[in-house]
Amino acid sequence: LITFGVLIAPLLFIFLAGKVSDISASILLRELSISLYRLIVAYVVSLVFALALAVLFGRGKLGGFFVPVFDLLQNIPSFALIPIFILALGRTDFMVIAFAASSMLWPILFYILTAMRNVRTDLEEASIMFGAKGFKKITNFLIPLSFSSLITGSIVGISIGWEAIIGIEIIGLYNGIGFFLNSAGNNRDILIFGITALLLVVFCINRLVWIPLLKKAQLYAE
């Protein structure tokens, strides 16, 4: 019942908003769905790249060279790169997703890197004794070892992703919830209902996805 209530809350709110104001519920739902779709795709892309980079460059001599480089890159203001993304990819949906993924990548990567670089030597030696070598070491040892950090980094990355997507929708006037809020102008009802609907979606994602994963991550940590 709680899960059903959490799932239905944003839809119910959007429906009621359309009834008590001049807001089109279908438009608000569509714009939220567009932004959420971009966020999910960008997160998957950033997660894949973060895992690949962490496994390839997280340890050994390569890690000693590349980790400072990654640290330098993450300190570049993300919104300063928007003109480069537009120049390279055009004003497309793919550009918005790529920009968001580039912003979400760093917290996920550095949380995973921290876990991998601080691995206990005895645990690594035990994994090798039980046959965790090559690809098996990645899937059966490094990734499970980094699971708690991956979840924490993902939560931080998702919050940055929301900021990146909504920001570029407002600045670039792309469709999405950012464009919906930006087009509200001085209409207080649109701003209030739009922001509240967005907060409800964020709450639902946290309640249904991240809180259960955090509880599971505690088992890995133990």
Side-chain angles (χ1 to χ4, degrees):
L1 288 176
I2 293 175
T3 301
F4 177 76
V6 171
L7 282 172
I8 205 68
L11 297 176
L12 182 60
F13 174 81
I14 292 172
F15 174 77
L16 291 176
K19 291 294 185 182
V20 301
S21 69
D22 296 330
I23 299 173
S24 171
S26 60
I27 292 177
L28 178 54
L29 182 60
R30 182 191 67 196
E31 300 304 315
L32 266 174
S33 300
I34 291 171
S35 297
L36 183 60
Y37 158 76
R38 288 170 176 162
L39 180 75
I40 293 173
V41 175
Y43 169 70
V44 172
V45 172
S46 63
L47 178 61
V48 171
F49 273 92
L51 285 172
L53 291 173
V55 170
L56 289 174
F57 305 120
R59 312 185 67 197
K61 294 181 179 179
L62 286 176
F65 174 78
F66 279 100
V67 170
V69 175
F70 294 151
D71 189 40
L72 177 64
L73 291 175
Q74 76 158 340
N75 285 295
I76 299 175
S78 58
F79 280 89
L81 300 177
I82 290 178
I84 297 176
F85 278 90
I86 293 177
L87 185 64
L89 304 173
R91 291 179 175 272
T92 61
D93 199 58
F94 178 71
M95 188 280 294
V96 179
I97 293 172
F99 172 72
S102 71
S103 301
M104 299 166 68
L105 170 66
W106 304 115
I108 302 174
L109 173 61
F110 275 95
Y111 271 95
I112 298 174
L113 282 175
T114 300
M116 288 187 177
R117 291 172 68 85
N118 294 330
V119 60
R120 285 168 47 188
T121 304
D122 57 335
L123 291 179
E124 186 170 12
E125 292 175 351
S127 69
I128 295 174
M129 291 177 58
F130 282 98
K133 299 179 180 179
F135 187 72
K136 281 187 175 181
K137 184 175 182 179
I138 296 173
T139 57
N140 296 341
F141 177 66
L142 290 178
I143 292 180
L145 178 77
S146 309
F147 183 75
S148 298
S149 298
L150 187 154
I151 298 303
T152 306
S154 295
I155 294 173
V156 177
I158 286 289
S159 65
I160 294 175
W162 275 119
E163 179 183 349
I165 289 173
I166 294 174
I168 201 170
E169 287 171 354
I170 292 174
I171 296 172
L173 300 181
Y174 296 87
N175 55 348
I177 189 61
F179 176 77
F180 179 85
L181 296 174
N182 188 55
S183 63
N186 295 322
N187 191 320
R188 186 174 59 183
D189 288 344
I190 294 179
L191 286 173
I192 292 174
F193 285 123
I195 292 173
T196 306
L198 174 62
L199 292 176
L200 281 172
V201 170
V202 173
F203 168 77
C204 289
I205 294 174
N206 288 338
R207 181 65 181 80
L208 298 177
V209 178
W210 298 121
I211 290 179
L213 285 176
L214 278 174
K215 292 180 179 179
K216 188 173 183 179
Q218 291 176 354
L219 298 177
Y220 278 84
E222 294 172 356

